[in-house]
Amino acid sequence: MTSTELNSLGFPKPPSETRVVVAMSGGVDSSVVAAQLAEEGYDVVGVTLQLYDHGAALAKKGACCAGIDIHDARRVSEEMGFPHYVLDYENIFQEAVIDEFADSYLAGATPVPCIRCNERVKFKDLLETAKDLNADCMATGHYIQRFSGDHGPELHSATDANRDQSYFLFSTTPEQLDFLRFPLGHLASKAETRALAAKYDLAVADKPDSQDICFVPDGNYAGVIEKLRPGAAEPGDIVDTEGNVLGQHRGVLHYTVGQRRGLGIGGLDTPLYVVRLDVDQRQVIVGPKELLATRIIPVREINWLGDEPFEAQKEYHISVKVRSTRPPREAIVRPLSATTAEVELLTPEEGVSPGQACVFYDPDSSRIFGGGWIWRGA
């Protein structure tokens, strides 16, 4: 390899002289990344994060970074012949992710802790650890793409729209993006990833994907909140938008905006949905479906990944995604400051909830322009 020729990770030197730290969750995606890079001859170092109590985690199937996953990551590293380290990030994870999850959930928001974990743990503390290990870059198993643009590295959606994880990675900063690599983003399907796992004869080739938040493996958010914040499940009134009491609830934390089932107030002519949660008054406010439609969304903590400063234009005509499971919608983004904006949806969207992310997309390409957090506004 000549000094001007770039290796597959974008460095002008042989793979053997390129150290890459791979964030290994123990799942098939990050295992394939590590195995592939090791086979290509890179100086691979595998790192797995222990994010909560190891003993308790052993019993949690389907949760990432649990005891069995640490074992699986270590096994892959042994099979492929590269060093592997387990880092105890339990306190960092508790402070940076779990506590905020509990508090924002109790405040009536619908938090997305996976984004905060990427932002505050994996792409912050772990990334710094990778630099301490003299790594040239850090690779992950996320389905997203990084391209070199005229103004630096750009974030782009994965080739496989069904696996795309751009919604969870919008807060990746330009500085972090410079150091990160995503070797799976170009694959056409998850089947290709599993085929690679079989090719490398990895024990995790058929391991199922984790579906839930890692510290809520059974999907029981309320149960976790009650443990973290005792007394949060206090009962109260279900009221309409005029304040009329229609029934009783068993704790605000059991309800989410947009919910229709399980309200226990049947027999009405018009179906009612949860349109707002008032934690201070311990009220669940319900109303007709049309009240769920939102056109104007206040967004803050914006991470902008465009080529010019965010405030360089009065407005941007782009697409936005307000939930991970929904397609991008046409919108106008109007900057209010370097980190706040008003987003106007050209078509009103139902169930827009504080605590969710609003991610910005280029309607004419696969590029992601960052995004921010939805809140109630001043």
Side-chain angles (χ1 to χ4, degrees):
M1 178 176 290
T2 66
S3 59
T4 56
E5 191 179 346
L6 302 181
N7 61 33
S8 64
L9 293 177
F11 297 99
K13 54 185 177 181
S16 61
E17 297 175 15
T18 306
R19 174 168 290 180
V20 51
V21 164
V22 179
M24 299 182 68
S25 68
V28 64
D29 298 325
S30 56
S31 296
V32 164
V33 167
Q36 188 172 41
L37 293 174
E39 188 194 53
E40 290 179 21
Y42 285 96
D43 178 9
V44 173
V45 178
V47 174
T48 300
L49 303 183
Q50 181 184 311
L51 298 179
Y52 44 80
D53 180 66
H54 195 175
L58 283 169
K60 296 179 180 177
K61 289 193 174 181
C64 78
C65 308
I68 190 68
D69 298 313
I70 292 172
H71 169 78
D72 286 344
R74 181 177 291 124
R75 185 173 171 184
V76 168
S77 64
E78 289 174 355
E79 290 172 357
M80 298 303 298
F82 58 81
H84 175 258
Y85 300 97
V86 178
L87 303 181
D88 182 357
Y89 276 26
E90 192 174 334
N91 290 339
I92 294 171
F93 189 68
Q94 179 76 39
E95 294 167 6
V97 180
I98 296 180
D99 285 343
E100 184 191 71
F101 168 82
D103 292 338
S104 60
Y105 201 93
L106 287 176
T110 308
V112 192
C114 299
I115 298 176
R116 289 301 197 193
C117 182
N118 289 326
E119 173 187 306
R120 296 176 173 177
V121 181
K122 291 177 182 172
F123 292 175
K124 181 173 177 282
D125 294 281
L126 178 55
L127 192 143
E128 289 305 316
T129 297
K131 291 180 178 178
D132 290 342
L133 291 170
N134 295 317
D136 293 285
C137 64
M138 186 172 90
T140 79
H142 289 107
Y143 287 87
I144 196 164
Q145 297 188 88
R146 172 194 182 278
F147 295 143
S148 295
D150 294 337
H151 299 271
E154 300 174 353
L155 201 61
H156 286 254
S157 300
T159 298
D160 181 2
N162 294 320
R163 305 296 305 180
D164 177 60
Q165 291 175 288
S166 57
Y167 185 84
F168 301 99
L169 296 167
F170 80 86
S171 61
T172 306
T173 66
E175 294 76 24
Q176 292 167 342
L177 197 54
D178 194 49
F179 193 70
L180 289 163
R181 300 294 186 275
F182 309 106
L184 301 183
H186 68 286
L187 297 183
S189 70
K190 181 62 178 259
E192 287 193 30
T193 307
R194 292 200 181 276
L196 285 169
K199 170 189 170 186
Y200 300 127
D201 199 25
L202 301 180
V204 296
D206 297 319
K207 187 174 181 177
D209 294 336
S210 58
Q211 299 294 330
D212 297 307
I213 295 171
C214 67
F215 58 91
V216 196
D218 56 0
N220 182 10
Y221 289 29
V224 171
I225 302 295
E226 286 185 72
K227 288 180 182 177
L228 292 168
R229 300 289 184 270
E234 295 179 17
D237 295 330
I238 298 176
V239 301
D240 63 19
T241 53
E242 302 295 319
N244 300 307
V245 177
L246 303 179
Q248 302 296 306
H249 66 76
R250 54 197 178 91
V252 170
L253 65 87
H254 294 286
Y255 301 83
T256 56
V257 172
Q259 179 177 331
R260 177 186 172 190
R261 299 181 183 279
L263 299 178
I265 48 172
L268 301 171
D269 294 335
T270 305
L272 296 179
Y273 297 77
V274 176
V275 296
R276 194 160 54 84
L277 299 171
D278 188 328
V279 177
D280 294 335
Q281 299 296 320
R282 298 210 308 273
Q283 289 182 336
V284 173
I285 298 95
V286 297
K289 190 175 185 180
E290 54 264 27
L291 291 183
L292 288 172
T294 301
R295 181 182 290 276
I296 304 296
I297 306 172
V299 178
R300 61 184 176 184
E301 289 184 68
I302 288 172
N303 177 55
W304 177 246
L305 295 175
D307 294 333
E308 59 186 355
F310 185 49
E311 295 177 279
Q313 293 189 33
K314 288 187 176 180
E315 59 183 38
Y316 296 89
H317 290 254
I318 57 178
S319 298
V320 303
K321 190 185 278 196
V322 295
R323 278 190 186 270
S324 63
T325 54
R326 296 182 183 175
R329 310 280 188 176
E330 286 185 86
I332 301 171
V333 177
R334 299 184 178 93
L336 301 176
S337 73
T339 58
T340 59
E342 177 186 89
V343 175
E344 179 183 353
L345 301 175
L346 299 194
T347 304
E349 184 96 8
E350 290 180 1
V352 176
S353 175
Q356 294 281 307
C358 179
V359 182
F360 306 155
Y361 295 83
D362 183 351
D364 300 317
S365 76
S366 59
R367 188 171 178 186
I368 297 137
F369 288 131
W373 295 93
I374 299 168
W375 66 302
R376 288 185 177 80

